[in-house]
Amino acid sequence: MIYFLCFVLFCVGLYGILVKRNLIKIIIGMSILDYASYLFLVLVGFRMEGRAPIYDKAQEVKNMVDPIPQALVLTAIVIGLAVLALMISIAVRLYEKYGTYDITEIRKLRG
Amino acid sequence: MTLIVKEVTRLTVGLIFLFGIYIMLHGHLTPGGGFAGGVIVALSFIHMVLAYGGDFATKKMNSRIATILESLGGLMFLSLALLGLIFAGVFFLNLLPKGMPFELKSAGIIPLCNIAICIKVGAGLFLVFTLLTMFKPGGDK
Amino acid sequence: MEYITLTEADQLIPLLVFMIIGSIVALEIDDMLSSVIAIGAVGVGVTISFLILKAPDLAITQLVVEILCLILLVRATIKREMRFPRKHADYLRIISALVLIFLFLVFSYSALMGLPPFGMPIMKVASEYIARGIHETGATNMVASVILDYRGYDTLIEASILFTAVLGVSVVLRSVGRIRNEKS
């Protein structure tokens, strides 16, 4: 059930990329897609009655949550930020040149 | 910006920078690590630019120093990886002594890698922010 | 007084519903500032989900990266013309996108039955990393030992990705010479 809700969030982001006309809405849709993938990866690695994957001096930590998806998602978060910065710089340049964020207008004007 | 924002910024920017360095240095003992620490350090400089304006804040850190620091961070990380190749024949080997767990000076090469990544990520993200907001010809700030 | 304890699945389902509603609001609303605030709310929801799923490392990183994303998005949308003239709606595109999403959800529901049930992962490699981690690397944070010792290549390539992105931003936004050449 939780996995299915995660996929519904993924589909909301996909809808934003496919249907919307505003360039900023497309960028927001891609951000939502990223959040859904991070959540799904960490959800697969979760363990019932698990603890955070950090050793403690006072207690003995027996069963830990899976640390490998967490390492992958840590890298993925920073990569998502880099891609967002590049997309926004391209969007700002497009606005300087064409005067609008509408993608149908940008396709028509050849300049 | 108003006077309240400027005064609060002047008091807290140093603490934010110190907190970022703390999270980065204890990356092998507590949650955090190089990436989170680097982003917090970049956010402290961005905070200063947002409160005081671009012209005043570029005396402390401008884009030229940021490009040099970013390249230095990347080169430091790569040279730490190459040290393993030169001394022991395996790329990216953890060759410094491991020490006792729960100490600050333990875990071999991991704290030095955290420092390199913090410098790289912090300088890189500050550079991205500077390029996007102080973009003069033809645009508005 | 009796305490009611909720399992993690009970805590996550209202949070996911909140995130779905927030993302639909962020996509449909016309005002740009409200849209950016809604995506900020979705990001903070992701942070709280990471805390519930026992991943404190990720929660710290996601929170500060979300703040930086909001700063960049506000930079792109402030003082820009946002309301478009009403055109004829492109029905073919909307209907084909909705059909695609419906088929995707139908097939994904039967594909998700193949995953192990929620809360019982098959930790084949991870149990080796956990058993030998503190002895071989000396770090007590397992995630740090995985990203910097066992999987150090990924971190090296990720650092180069960040470098390439900063380079790309500086090339796209550098237009001083070009504007002067266009005008002359």
Short mmCIF file of all heavy atoms in Angstrom, two decimals, chain A residues 27 30-31 34 38 75-91, chain B residues 125 128 132, chain C residues 65 69 72 158 161-162 164-166 169:
data_model
loop_
_atom_site.label_atom_id
_atom_site.label_comp_id
_atom_site.label_asym_id
_atom_site.label_seq_id
_atom_site.Cartn_x
_atom_site.Cartn_y
_atom_site.Cartn_z
N ILE A 27 9.71 22.17 -14.33
CA ILE A 27 10.84 21.97 -13.42
C ILE A 27 10.34 21.48 -12.06
O ILE A 27 10.94 20.60 -11.43
CB ILE A 27 11.63 23.29 -13.29
CG1 ILE A 27 12.30 23.62 -14.62
CG2 ILE A 27 12.68 23.18 -12.22
CD1 ILE A 27 13.04 24.90 -14.60
N MET A 30 9.61 17.82 -12.26
CA MET A 30 10.79 16.96 -12.17
C MET A 30 11.28 16.85 -10.73
O MET A 30 11.77 15.81 -10.31
CB MET A 30 11.88 17.54 -13.07
CG MET A 30 13.05 16.64 -13.18
SD MET A 30 14.13 17.09 -14.50
CE MET A 30 13.52 16.11 -15.79
N SER A 31 11.14 17.92 -9.95
CA SER A 31 11.50 17.86 -8.53
C SER A 31 10.64 16.85 -7.78
O SER A 31 11.12 16.10 -6.93
CB SER A 31 11.31 19.23 -7.91
OG SER A 31 12.52 19.76 -7.49
N ASP A 34 11.81 13.42 -8.43
CA ASP A 34 12.99 13.10 -7.63
C ASP A 34 12.61 12.69 -6.23
O ASP A 34 13.13 11.70 -5.70
CB ASP A 34 13.90 14.33 -7.55
CG ASP A 34 14.72 14.52 -8.80
OD1 ASP A 34 14.87 13.53 -9.52
OD2 ASP A 34 15.19 15.64 -9.01
N TYR A 38 13.46 9.08 -4.22
CA TYR A 38 14.21 8.96 -2.97
C TYR A 38 13.40 8.16 -1.95
O TYR A 38 13.92 7.26 -1.28
CB TYR A 38 14.51 10.33 -2.35
CG TYR A 38 15.22 11.31 -3.23
CD1 TYR A 38 15.05 12.67 -3.01
CD2 TYR A 38 16.05 10.92 -4.25
CE1 TYR A 38 15.68 13.60 -3.80
CE2 TYR A 38 16.68 11.84 -5.04
CZ TYR A 38 16.50 13.19 -4.82
OH TYR A 38 17.12 14.11 -5.59
N THR A 75 23.83 10.45 -2.25
CA THR A 75 24.43 10.96 -3.48
C THR A 75 23.37 11.54 -4.40
O THR A 75 23.56 12.59 -5.02
CB THR A 75 25.16 9.80 -4.17
OG1 THR A 75 26.10 9.26 -3.27
CG2 THR A 75 25.87 10.29 -5.39
N ALA A 76 22.21 10.87 -4.48
CA ALA A 76 21.18 11.30 -5.42
C ALA A 76 20.60 12.66 -5.05
O ALA A 76 20.23 13.43 -5.93
CB ALA A 76 20.06 10.27 -5.47
N ILE A 77 20.53 12.98 -3.76
CA ILE A 77 19.97 14.28 -3.36
C ILE A 77 20.85 15.40 -3.88
O ILE A 77 20.35 16.39 -4.44
CB ILE A 77 19.83 14.35 -1.83
CG1 ILE A 77 18.71 13.46 -1.35
CG2 ILE A 77 19.56 15.76 -1.37
CD1 ILE A 77 18.57 13.44 0.13
N VAL A 78 22.18 15.25 -3.75
CA VAL A 78 23.05 16.33 -4.18
C VAL A 78 23.06 16.43 -5.70
O VAL A 78 23.10 17.52 -6.27
CB VAL A 78 24.46 16.10 -3.62
CG1 VAL A 78 25.38 17.22 -4.00
CG2 VAL A 78 24.39 16.01 -2.12
N ILE A 79 22.94 15.26 -6.39
CA ILE A 79 22.88 15.32 -7.86
C ILE A 79 21.60 15.99 -8.31
O ILE A 79 21.58 16.77 -9.27
CB ILE A 79 23.00 13.89 -8.43
CG1 ILE A 79 24.39 13.37 -8.17
CG2 ILE A 79 22.72 13.88 -9.89
CD1 ILE A 79 24.60 12.00 -8.71
N GLY A 80 20.49 15.75 -7.60
CA GLY A 80 19.24 16.41 -7.94
C GLY A 80 19.34 17.91 -7.82
O GLY A 80 18.79 18.66 -8.63
N LEU A 81 20.08 18.38 -6.80
CA LEU A 81 20.27 19.82 -6.66
C LEU A 81 21.07 20.38 -7.81
O LEU A 81 20.74 21.45 -8.34
CB LEU A 81 20.98 20.10 -5.34
CG LEU A 81 21.37 21.54 -5.10
CD1 LEU A 81 20.14 22.37 -4.93
CD2 LEU A 81 22.22 21.64 -3.86
N ALA A 82 22.12 19.66 -8.26
CA ALA A 82 22.94 20.16 -9.36
C ALA A 82 22.12 20.25 -10.65
O ALA A 82 22.23 21.22 -11.39
CB ALA A 82 24.14 19.23 -9.57
N VAL A 83 21.28 19.23 -10.90
CA VAL A 83 20.46 19.25 -12.12
C VAL A 83 19.45 20.38 -12.06
O VAL A 83 19.19 21.06 -13.06
CB VAL A 83 19.79 17.88 -12.31
CG1 VAL A 83 18.80 17.90 -13.42
CG2 VAL A 83 20.83 16.84 -12.59
N LEU A 84 18.88 20.62 -10.88
CA LEU A 84 17.91 21.72 -10.74
C LEU A 84 18.57 23.06 -11.02
O LEU A 84 17.99 23.93 -11.69
CB LEU A 84 17.32 21.71 -9.34
CG LEU A 84 16.27 22.77 -9.12
CD1 LEU A 84 14.96 22.27 -9.58
CD2 LEU A 84 16.19 23.14 -7.67
N ALA A 85 19.83 23.24 -10.53
CA ALA A 85 20.52 24.51 -10.77
C ALA A 85 20.75 24.72 -12.26
O ALA A 85 20.54 25.82 -12.80
CB ALA A 85 21.85 24.54 -10.03
N LEU A 86 21.12 23.66 -12.98
CA LEU A 86 21.36 23.79 -14.42
C LEU A 86 20.06 24.10 -15.16
O LEU A 86 20.02 24.94 -16.05
CB LEU A 86 21.99 22.50 -14.93
CG LEU A 86 22.68 22.59 -16.28
CD1 LEU A 86 23.72 23.66 -16.25
CD2 LEU A 86 23.33 21.27 -16.59
N MET A 87 18.95 23.42 -14.76
CA MET A 87 17.68 23.67 -15.43
C MET A 87 17.21 25.10 -15.21
O MET A 87 16.68 25.75 -16.13
CB MET A 87 16.61 22.71 -14.89
CG MET A 87 16.71 21.33 -15.45
SD MET A 87 15.23 20.39 -15.18
CE MET A 87 15.35 20.05 -13.46
N ILE A 88 17.40 25.61 -14.00
CA ILE A 88 16.93 26.98 -13.74
C ILE A 88 17.78 27.99 -14.48
O ILE A 88 17.26 29.01 -14.97
CB ILE A 88 16.90 27.22 -12.23
CG1 ILE A 88 15.79 26.41 -11.64
CG2 ILE A 88 16.76 28.67 -11.92
CD1 ILE A 88 15.24 26.93 -10.40
N SER A 89 19.08 27.71 -14.66
CA SER A 89 19.90 28.67 -15.40
C SER A 89 19.47 28.69 -16.87
O SER A 89 19.41 29.75 -17.49
CB SER A 89 21.37 28.31 -15.26
OG SER A 89 21.69 27.22 -16.05
N ILE A 90 19.11 27.51 -17.43
CA ILE A 90 18.64 27.48 -18.82
C ILE A 90 17.30 28.21 -18.93
O ILE A 90 17.06 28.95 -19.90
CB ILE A 90 18.53 26.03 -19.31
CG1 ILE A 90 19.91 25.43 -19.43
CG2 ILE A 90 17.84 25.95 -20.63
CD1 ILE A 90 19.91 24.01 -19.92
N ALA A 91 16.43 28.05 -17.93
CA ALA A 91 15.13 28.73 -17.97
C ALA A 91 15.30 30.24 -17.90
O ALA A 91 14.61 30.99 -18.60
CB ALA A 91 14.25 28.24 -16.81
N LEU B 125 28.42 25.40 -4.64
CA LEU B 125 27.05 25.89 -4.53
C LEU B 125 27.01 27.39 -4.34
O LEU B 125 26.10 28.07 -4.82
CB LEU B 125 26.33 25.16 -3.40
CG LEU B 125 26.06 23.71 -3.76
CD1 LEU B 125 25.42 23.00 -2.60
CD2 LEU B 125 25.17 23.64 -4.96
N VAL B 128 27.30 28.80 -7.80
CA VAL B 128 26.05 28.74 -8.56
C VAL B 128 25.12 29.87 -8.15
O VAL B 128 24.51 30.53 -8.99
CB VAL B 128 25.39 27.36 -8.35
CG1 VAL B 128 23.95 27.38 -8.74
CG2 VAL B 128 26.12 26.32 -9.13
N LEU B 132 23.82 33.05 -10.54
CA LEU B 132 22.41 33.23 -10.88
C LEU B 132 21.87 34.57 -10.44
O LEU B 132 20.97 35.10 -11.05
CB LEU B 132 21.57 32.13 -10.22
CG LEU B 132 21.37 30.89 -11.05
CD1 LEU B 132 20.65 29.85 -10.27
CD2 LEU B 132 20.58 31.22 -12.27
N VAL C 65 19.25 20.99 1.53
CA VAL C 65 19.17 21.08 0.06
C VAL C 65 17.83 21.67 -0.35
O VAL C 65 17.73 22.41 -1.33
CB VAL C 65 19.41 19.68 -0.54
CG1 VAL C 65 18.95 19.60 -1.95
CG2 VAL C 65 20.87 19.36 -0.47
N CYS C 69 17.11 24.84 -2.79
CA CYS C 69 16.22 24.75 -3.95
C CYS C 69 15.19 25.87 -3.93
O CYS C 69 14.88 26.44 -4.98
CB CYS C 69 15.46 23.41 -3.93
SG CYS C 69 16.39 22.04 -4.50
N LEU C 72 16.76 29.09 -5.14
CA LEU C 72 16.96 29.13 -6.58
C LEU C 72 15.64 29.30 -7.32
O LEU C 72 15.55 30.03 -8.31
CB LEU C 72 17.65 27.85 -7.06
CG LEU C 72 19.08 27.67 -6.63
CD1 LEU C 72 19.62 26.37 -7.17
CD2 LEU C 72 19.94 28.79 -7.12
N GLU C 158 30.41 11.44 -8.24
CA GLU C 158 29.41 12.44 -7.87
C GLU C 158 30.05 13.80 -7.69
O GLU C 158 29.45 14.83 -8.06
CB GLU C 158 28.72 11.98 -6.58
CG GLU C 158 27.52 12.76 -6.21
CD GLU C 158 27.85 13.83 -5.25
OE1 GLU C 158 28.86 13.67 -4.56
OE2 GLU C 158 27.10 14.80 -5.19
N ILE C 161 30.34 15.18 -11.07
CA ILE C 161 29.06 15.63 -11.61
C ILE C 161 28.76 17.04 -11.12
O ILE C 161 28.31 17.91 -11.89
CB ILE C 161 27.92 14.67 -11.20
CG1 ILE C 161 28.02 13.39 -11.98
CG2 ILE C 161 26.57 15.29 -11.43
CD1 ILE C 161 26.93 12.42 -11.62
N LEU C 162 29.02 17.29 -9.82
CA LEU C 162 28.78 18.64 -9.30
C LEU C 162 29.66 19.66 -10.00
O LEU C 162 29.22 20.76 -10.32
CB LEU C 162 29.10 18.66 -7.81
CG LEU C 162 27.93 18.67 -6.89
CD1 LEU C 162 28.39 18.59 -5.48
CD2 LEU C 162 27.15 19.94 -7.08
N THR C 164 30.83 19.47 -13.05
CA THR C 164 30.32 19.69 -14.39
C THR C 164 29.08 20.58 -14.38
O THR C 164 28.90 21.43 -15.26
CB THR C 164 29.97 18.34 -15.04
OG1 THR C 164 31.07 17.47 -14.88
CG2 THR C 164 29.68 18.51 -16.49
N ALA C 165 28.24 20.42 -13.36
CA ALA C 165 27.03 21.25 -13.30
C ALA C 165 27.39 22.71 -13.08
O ALA C 165 26.80 23.59 -13.70
CB ALA C 165 26.11 20.76 -12.18
N VAL C 166 28.36 22.97 -12.19
CA VAL C 166 28.77 24.36 -11.96
C VAL C 166 29.38 24.95 -13.22
O VAL C 166 29.13 26.10 -13.58
CB VAL C 166 29.74 24.43 -10.77
CG1 VAL C 166 30.35 25.79 -10.64
CG2 VAL C 166 29.04 24.06 -9.50
N VAL C 169 26.54 25.81 -15.61
CA VAL C 169 25.83 27.03 -15.23
C VAL C 169 26.64 28.25 -15.63
O VAL C 169 26.12 29.22 -16.17
CB VAL C 169 25.53 27.03 -13.73
CG1 VAL C 169 25.09 28.39 -13.27
CG2 VAL C 169 24.46 26.05 -13.41
#
